[in-house]
Amino acid sequence: PGTVTIENNSICGTTAMLKALNCNGSATANIFYNSIYSSHTDTSTANSALIISSIKNVNLKNNIIYNKNGLIADIQSSLLTGSDYNVFFSDKKFFRYEGVSKTFADFKTVTNSDLHSIFLNPKYTSDSDLHYKNDTLNGFAIPIAQISDDIQNKKRDVIHPNPGAFETKADSLLDDINKDLTVTSVGTLDMGNNTVTASFKNSPILNLDPNHIYTGTIDTVDISYQLNNEAPVMEQWTGNLSIGQT
């Protein structure tokens, strides 16, 4: 075909798959906003998270590509005309270009691409849940005009979108976000004994994305306070706080 577009996919290569994503034989390939992971145990160059072969124009942007044991990408007889703002990672190997193994730096030089791409562990939630947990990646991608939603039809940030298939965090991670609250006391108290009360609410607004429906509970909240210039004091509340409860 003339043009192939692959966008907003979560691709988990299992122990039975040596190739998580294999693209070949087209004039142009647009590969945008994909989360790719291979957990195959093979450590040879036959194991590659991404293979691109015989494609004249490859636009590779805003992807997260992680191969635990093999190659991140194997580029064969193809030209990376628009590859950037990708997140690459591998525990064992790196890249291969025209049959020759390359480090990340060498790969960028020989392909003249990926100026802003980074080599960093995305810390996927699990082998099958490719929400990333590495907050360094927040807002790392660049907008692509024709892609306004993610794999779950949630709106992408129009200025600083997140890389990969998911624009928002997984529910389990949002639960951790809701626990990380700061309660600040305002005003100056008179001398004597005073009661200071801190209140907090399990509010959906803390989910960061109004399109994300979250119904989790809060079971622990760490509260810190400081009197004058004394050392901060940390106390912990435990219980079960549902959405909307204070």
Side-chain angles (χ1 to χ4, degrees):
T3 300
V4 171
T5 298
I6 303 170
E7 64 184 48
N8 283 337
N9 293 284
S10 177
I11 303 171
C12 306
T14 66
T15 55
M17 298 172 60
L18 281 171
K19 304 171 182 65
L21 178 60
N22 190 351
C23 308
N24 63 82
S26 66
T28 299
N30 298 319
I31 306 172
F32 303 142
Y33 285 119
N34 297 285
S35 296
I36 303 171
Y37 176 66
S38 174
S39 59
H40 200 289
T41 57
D42 191 303
T43 58
S44 74
T45 55
N47 174 12
S48 183
L50 173 65
I51 293 182
I52 298 175
S53 61
S54 302
I55 300 178
K56 296 179 180 179
N57 301 295
V58 180
N59 297 307
L60 186 72
K61 287 188 174 73
N62 298 347
N63 301 282
I64 304 176
I65 306 174
Y66 178 12
N67 193 338
K68 187 172 182 60
N69 296 299
L71 292 170
I72 298 168
D74 189 353
I75 311 300
Q76 309 166 5
S77 303
S78 301
L79 185 61
L80 297 179
T81 53
S83 181
D84 209 354
Y85 292 93
N86 299 294
V87 179
F88 300 118
F89 194 72
S90 175
D91 295 341
K92 300 291 178 63
K93 295 185 178 295
F94 300 102
F95 301 84
R96 190 164 67 163
Y97 181 76
E98 303 300 353
V100 180
S101 295
K102 301 289 183 182
T103 65
F104 182 38
D106 290 340
F107 176 79
K108 292 194 292 183
T109 298
V110 74
T111 60
N112 193 29
S113 68
D114 290 285
L115 176 64
H116 302 95
S117 296
I118 57 176
F119 188 86
L120 188 68
N121 190 340
K123 299 180 181 178
Y124 285 137
T125 301
S126 70
D127 286 359
S128 58
D129 183 351
L130 302 191
H131 287 86
Y132 68 80
K133 296 192 294 182
N134 191 335
D135 288 338
T136 303
L137 304 184
N138 292 344
F140 174 75
I142 58 170
I144 297 176
Q146 67 271 28
I147 305 176
S148 58
D149 299 332
D150 75 350
I151 188 174
Q152 297 176 314
N153 295 318
K154 294 165 188 169
K155 294 297 181 183
R156 290 197 177 273
D157 191 289
V158 297
I159 300 176
H160 299 293
N162 294 335
F166 302 96
E167 184 69 14
T168 60
K169 294 180 180 291
D171 281 353
S172 60
L173 301 180
L174 288 170
D175 192 40
D176 288 337
I177 289 174
N178 273 5
K179 293 175 186 175
D180 187 16
L181 306 177
T182 300
V183 181
T184 303
S185 176
V186 295
T188 302
L189 299 177
D190 295 330
M191 293 183 63
N193 295 325
N194 295 275
T195 300
V196 180
T197 302
S199 64
F200 44 89
K201 182 178 181 180
N202 188 354
S203 173
I205 195 171
L206 293 173
N207 298 338
L208 307 180
D209 182 354
N211 297 305
H212 186 83
I213 300 174
Y214 171 68
T215 58
T217 60
I218 295 176
D219 53 35
T220 305
V221 175
D222 292 327
I223 302 173
S224 64
Y225 63 89
Q226 184 176 20
L227 297 176
N228 299 325
N229 295 319
E230 296 181 7
V233 177
M234 177 72 72
E235 295 187 4
Q236 187 178 83
W237 172 90
T238 59
N240 193 295
L241 201 63
S242 300
I243 286 288
Q245 289 186 327
T246 301

